[in-house]
Amino acid sequence: MKISVIKSDITTIKVDAIVNAANTSLLGGSGVDGAIHKKGGVEILNACKEIRNKQGSCKVGEAVITTAGKLDAKYVIHTVGPVWNKGGFEKEALLRNCYQNSVILANQNDVKSIAFPNISTGIYKFPKKIAAQIAIGTIKRYKNNNTIEEVIFVCFDEENFSIYEKILKNDTTI
Ligand code: AR6
């Protein structure tokens, strides 16, 4: 599995699946969620509504998969990151679940390439360094155990980008 980091807008990336940092409603929001729904179009929202009708909201740490609508990807995997608030082990475990459940869904759908945003590090205020360690560490744990050939971490801001670059270069995952 190839793991890389780029600084870009995730809605422009050509991969099988793009991961969305959604909220429990699955009905869109701002940040990366807003950008994905805006560019992907109403097909994504309609698919999210269908999922809500079947299972209700999406719990924190869980993930669901939909069409990618007008985006270049085949799928959008929507996962709900934790709000950091005062932090703690529970929040870290929930963020780990986001990456883990996204990989499981990708695997079940024969996804070969997947792009992740820096889940929870925007509006949900998760500290960027801890979030990056969790993201990279969780993906590495799945390295030999799924169909995914390529993982791209797509950072929107310079701070996240340099944190990811440093961790990936020095292999300092915990
Ligand atoms: N491409 C890649 N990354 C992006 C993009 C983009 N187009 N836009 C923002 N980011 P956030 P959260 C980065 O706030 O913290 C929404 O309203 C951003 O710089 O989008 O998980 C949802 O509906 C940051 O590093 O998600 C929820 O209510 C990262 O994406 C809530 O925000 C995540 O920032 C989720 O908060």
Side-chain angles (χ1 to χ4, degrees):
M1 184 202 275
K2 187 184 159 209
I3 301 176
S4 61
V5 58
I6 55 169
K7 194 168 159 245
S8 187
D9 173 347
I10 203 165
T11 62
T12 65
I13 309 297
K14 279 188 190 158
V15 279
D16 289 343
I18 282 172
V19 177
N20 181 20
N23 60 59
T24 54
S25 81
L26 294 175
L27 296 178
S30 53
V32 69
D33 195 9
I36 287 173
H37 277 277
K38 190 171 174 204
K39 203 159 168 199
V42 75
E43 259 188 77
I44 299 179
L45 184 62
N46 288 341
C48 285
K49 283 181 180 165
E50 258 178 51
I51 290 169
R52 270 172 61 97
N53 289 342
K54 279 191 210 137
Q55 67 161 56
S57 61
C58 183
K59 295 196 180 74
V60 177
E62 293 185 357
V64 300
I65 190 164
T66 67
T67 169
K70 294 202 212 79
L71 296 174
D72 276 330
K74 288 187 203 151
Y75 305 108
V76 173
I77 294 173
H78 307 260
T79 186
V80 183
V83 179
W84 177 254
N85 195 10
K86 289 184 185 120
F89 289 129
E90 195 194 322
K91 300 296 171 78
E92 295 182 24
L94 287 168
L95 187 62
R96 209 167 290 123
N97 290 349
C98 289
Y99 287 93
Q100 193 171 306
N101 286 323
S102 298
V103 167
I104 290 170
L105 264 184
N107 213 10
Q108 286 167 353
N109 289 276
D110 204 30
V111 164
K112 300 273 189 286
S113 54
I114 185 166
F116 283 96
N118 310 133
I119 302 163
S120 282
T121 68
I123 293 162
Y124 286 176
K125 298 254 183 311
F126 213 101
K128 291 177 180 174
K129 275 189 193 159
I130 303 174
Q133 291 280 3
I134 291 170
I136 297 169
T138 308
I139 294 303
K140 283 197 171 168
R141 221 160 294 141
Y142 278 85
K143 229 177 160 170
N144 301 315
N145 204 14
N146 62 79
T147 61
I148 303 169
E149 289 164 7
E150 184 175 19
V151 175
I152 307 172
F153 290 108
V154 183
C155 302
F156 204 53
D157 56 276
E158 186 57 45
E159 193 188 351
N160 263 318
F161 180 66
S162 64
I163 291 170
Y164 272 75
E165 266 204 322
K166 212 177 275 170
I167 296 173
L168 286 170
K169 200 161 39 179
N170 301 328
D171 195 13
T172 57
T173 41
I174 41 175

